[in-house]
């Protein structure tokens, strides 16, 4: 399929969280229908989708029906079981493609991929056992962080190691999961680039945003990022190199550390990304619509930034401030329709918009 | 109910067209669920709503279940059968309230209401029979337009009368429906004000837009409207007077003629309005969210305009241009998910956005 999907076509989305919800809304703007595949009931995406297949990822029959109902399948998270993809792939195109998932599902594979592309990453080592861990720790010579190779997000599946004495406990805490040791990077700030590549190979990047984390979870993204012009160019070129190497179709999030020696890739996510939520208020076409355009074979849209924006996540009880936030000037509130505000759960975000200042332009 | 509805509450929407669709999307942004009541299947609003009650407005049981499922009921069109409202009203609040519907469902009642408020309208006369029509025609002394009192929209249910010789045929064309004769107004342009009133009585108006019609259907709305500052103030005060007189809760569209003698009210619509679609790209909080905020008892949001916008409707085959429009810079495309592009059918719209120019500011 190389022709653009006609409005009225159906986009299948694996995962029913807030990213699927906002993808579904963006799809509706272009006249598409959506169906969601998500084991959980009353999930955020199902509230704004045409259909919700509520089934496990191991349910082959449900996956088959889902794939048959869709004209293209995309996803809102990268940890989709391979077996599920094997059922879907013969029936309908999956975009972004499987190579992007294979690379990003495994921290070690991802780091190897980036290194092979000539990009800088944190120092890393494959940790197969205690001796491999101790050898790597000695080599890095500083504190480091032990992470599971797969299924980590928002700081989960990680153990910090401040010295050799923490080593055994850290490894034990991962319960035998395959692991990678990452050295710390001396960075001044973290930025991210939300990049898109169309079916025709066209690449478009949103203006880099500057991220601040709190308790291992993204807290704010601010545009424009404080980034010298050459690094701004580097960020875009680097993102394009990743997209092209993966023959990627869709939106990709690239987290970068800004260091005295240039940009270091922290991680990539083959999907719309929390640090791109500011585009909903700062651009005519936001990251969600850009992703929908790419996976349906439409031309990428105009993602030029026309305003300065600060995006703030509403985590857990933060959502109790929503009435006050609803009254703040220049502030757009986005809630995800989640029933219960648990600690650490992303409940919504706010985009505070300011007209672009000449002084903050590149 | 005077407390704001909590996120997670359900908003019932009568009518499943594009206005219901965009209301449903706006509701999702604030964490609300929606259910749609609409006799037609596969309707635009159902694609992005939690539930779709597909039933006739005469189906008392379906209306009861709909009302019981909702925490508040609103609507996307004013011609809702009174019997249906009688079933819903005892079960759940209807916002905007019934008085707004009573007034706006009947062109004669609406003109009397506006006149009683001290506002100017086109000259009008109740047409009960041929002699009443001929008497009014003679009194107006010019060409005029005969309209059904109820159920007219987009130029339907209207007959133009250029002289006494057209009179009998015009009356016959309405098939005995109660009618009103409206004289023409000598106006330089048409503008509209999209006004909102909260449950607490707070009033907020979007910047007036300037409308151009084609074949009796809105073609473009452009902001800012070419309107002298005093008339801009008049427009807002006049809209507020209407809102307060109706103890209105929600968004109201007010169409105004600009004449040498000041503003003349063309008509009011107790709902979000096609001429307010530009707010999706020009304001942090758009007309759809403003309406949802009002009917759920939330504070009204910041609807200040931060950009110049031109909204263009895509009518019938216009939608075939959507691929080219998708590639235009500064252009946001909105399609309604309608399966078939019939002549005169509103298929979508585009908002072309330009950063606000100092020269065009008030």
């Amino acid at each position: 399929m190389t022709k653009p999907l006609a409005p009225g076509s159906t986009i299948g989305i694996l995962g029913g969280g807030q990213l699927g919800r906002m993808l579904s809304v963006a799809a509706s703007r272009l006249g598409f229908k959506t169906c969601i595949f998500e084991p959980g009931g009353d999930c955020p995406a199902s509230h704004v989708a045409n259909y919700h297949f509520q089934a496990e990822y191991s349910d082959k029959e449900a996956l088959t029906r889902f794939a048959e109902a869709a004209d293209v399948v995309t996803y809102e998270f990268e940890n989709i079981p391979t077996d599920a993809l094997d059922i879907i792939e013969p029936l309908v195109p999956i975009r972004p493609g499987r190579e992007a998932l294979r690379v990003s599902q495994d921290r070690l594979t991802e780091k190897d991929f980036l290194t092979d592309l000539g990009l800088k990453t944190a120092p890393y080592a494959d940790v197969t056992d205690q001796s491999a861990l101790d050898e790597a720790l000695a080599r890095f010579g500083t504190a480091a962080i032990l992470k599971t190779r797969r299924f980590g997000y928002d700081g989960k599946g990680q153990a910090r190691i401040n010295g050799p004495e923490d080593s055994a406990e850290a490894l034990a805490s991962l319960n035998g999961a395959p692991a990678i040791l990452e050295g710390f990077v001396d960075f001044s700030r973290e930025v991210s680039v939300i990049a898109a590549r169309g079916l025709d190979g066209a690449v478009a990047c949103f203006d880099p945003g500057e991220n601040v984390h709190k308790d291992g979870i993204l807290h704010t993204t601010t545009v424009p990022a404080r980034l010298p012009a050459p690094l701004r160019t580097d960020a875009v070129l680097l993102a394009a190199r990743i997209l092209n190497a993966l023959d990627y179709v869709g939106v990709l999030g690239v987290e970068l550390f800004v260091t005295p020696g240039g940009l270091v890739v922290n991680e990539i996510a083959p999907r719309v990304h929390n640090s791109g939520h500011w585009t909903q208020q700062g651009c005519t076409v936001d990251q969600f619509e850009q992703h929908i355009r790419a996976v349906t074979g439409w031309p990428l849209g105009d993602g030029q930034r026309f305003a300065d924006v600060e995006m703030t996540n509403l985590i857990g009880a933060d959502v109790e401030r929503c009435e006050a936030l609803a009254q703040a000037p220049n502030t757009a509130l986005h809630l995800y329709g989640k029933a219960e505000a648990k600690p650490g759960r992303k409940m919504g975000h706010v985009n505070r918009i300011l007209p672009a200042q000449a002084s903050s332009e590149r």
Side-chain angles (χ1 to χ4, degrees), chain A residues 177-191:
Chain A
I180 178 176
L181 186 71
E182 294 183 14
F184 281 100
V185 174
D186 179 26
F187 64 95
S188 55
R189 52 186 62 105
E190 187 200 292
V191 300

Side-chain angles (χ1 to χ4, degrees), chain A residues 119-123 183-191 226-228 230-232 234-235 238 255-266:
Chain A
L119 305 179
K120 287 180 206 162
T121 70
F184 281 100
V185 174
D186 179 26
F187 64 95
S188 55
R189 52 186 62 105
E190 187 200 292
V191 300
R226 289 168 297 168
L227 202 58
L231 288 189
R232 203 170 281 268
D234 283 356
L238 169 165
E255 294 181 7
L256 299 164
F257 295 130
V258 181
T259 78
L263 297 173
V264 171
V265 182
N266 179 25

Side-chain angles (χ1 to χ4, degrees), chain A residues 132-303:
Chain A
L133 174 55
D134 291 336
E135 186 275 326
L137 274 174
R139 182 154 49 86
F140 293 177
T142 58
I145 190 153
L146 187 67
K147 299 181 178 180
T148 56
R149 283 174 55 176
R150 295 173 61 95
F151 304 120
Y153 71 98
D154 286 349
K156 293 185 170 67
Q158 305 191 357
R160 189 184 164 117
I161 303 181
N162 292 312
E165 67 281 8
D166 298 341
S167 155
E169 192 185 332
L171 193 59
S173 77
L174 302 191
N175 294 315
I180 178 176
L181 186 71
E182 294 183 14
F184 281 100
V185 174
D186 179 26
F187 64 95
S188 55
R189 52 186 62 105
E190 187 200 292
V191 300
S192 55
V193 176
I194 308 301
R197 187 167 177 273
L199 198 55
D200 58 359
V203 167
C205 294
F206 291 99
D207 206 10
E210 183 168 336
N211 302 328
V212 174
H213 291 79
K214 213 160 88 174
D215 304 325
I217 304 177
L218 183 67
H219 175 50
T220 61
T221 300
T222 306
V223 282
R226 289 168 297 168
L227 202 58
L231 288 189
R232 203 170 281 268
T233 306
D234 283 356
V236 168
L237 292 176
L238 169 165
R241 198 185 302 180
I242 297 170
L243 291 171
N244 290 327
L246 295 170
D247 193 19
Y248 196 88
V249 177
V251 160
L252 175 89
V254 185
E255 294 181 7
L256 299 164
F257 295 130
V258 181
T259 78
L263 297 173
V264 171
V265 182
N266 179 25
E267 62 179 31
I268 63 176
R271 52 170 169 79
V272 290
H273 196 260
N274 194 165
S275 68
H277 291 359
W278 66 267
T279 59
Q280 293 175 311
Q281 262 63 44
C283 305
T284 309
V285 170
D286 68 17
Q287 67 162 346
F288 302 100
E289 182 172 331
Q290 200 70 295
H291 187 79
I292 295 295
R293 283 169 173 252
V295 303
T296 56
W298 278 41
L300 296 182
D302 180 358

Side-chain angles (χ1 to χ4, degrees), chain A residues 16-22 42-45 47 76-78 152-156 190 192 194 211-221 255 267 269 271-277 287-288 311-322 325 333-350:
Chain A
Q18 66 269 16
L19 300 180
R21 178 180 175 96
M22 292 184 279
D42 191 30
C43 64
H47 301 174
E76 60 142 30
F77 73 118
E78 52 272 41
Y153 71 98
D154 286 349
K156 293 185 170 67
E190 187 200 292
S192 55
I194 308 301
N211 302 328
V212 174
H213 291 79
K214 213 160 88 174
D215 304 325
I217 304 177
L218 183 67
H219 175 50
T220 61
T221 300
E255 294 181 7
E267 62 179 31
R271 52 170 169 79
V272 290
H273 196 260
N274 194 165
S275 68
H277 291 359
Q287 67 162 346
F288 302 100
M311 187 289 302
T312 305
N313 271 333
L314 302 177
I315 309 287
D318 288 350
V319 76
E320 290 165 15
R321 289 162 40 219
C322 75
L325 290 167
L333 181 61
H334 297 260
L335 299 179
Y336 304 152
K338 297 182 184 177
E340 203 185 340
K342 293 185 190 162
R345 177 176 276 183
K346 292 177 177 172
M347 301 300 293
H349 66 275
V350 286

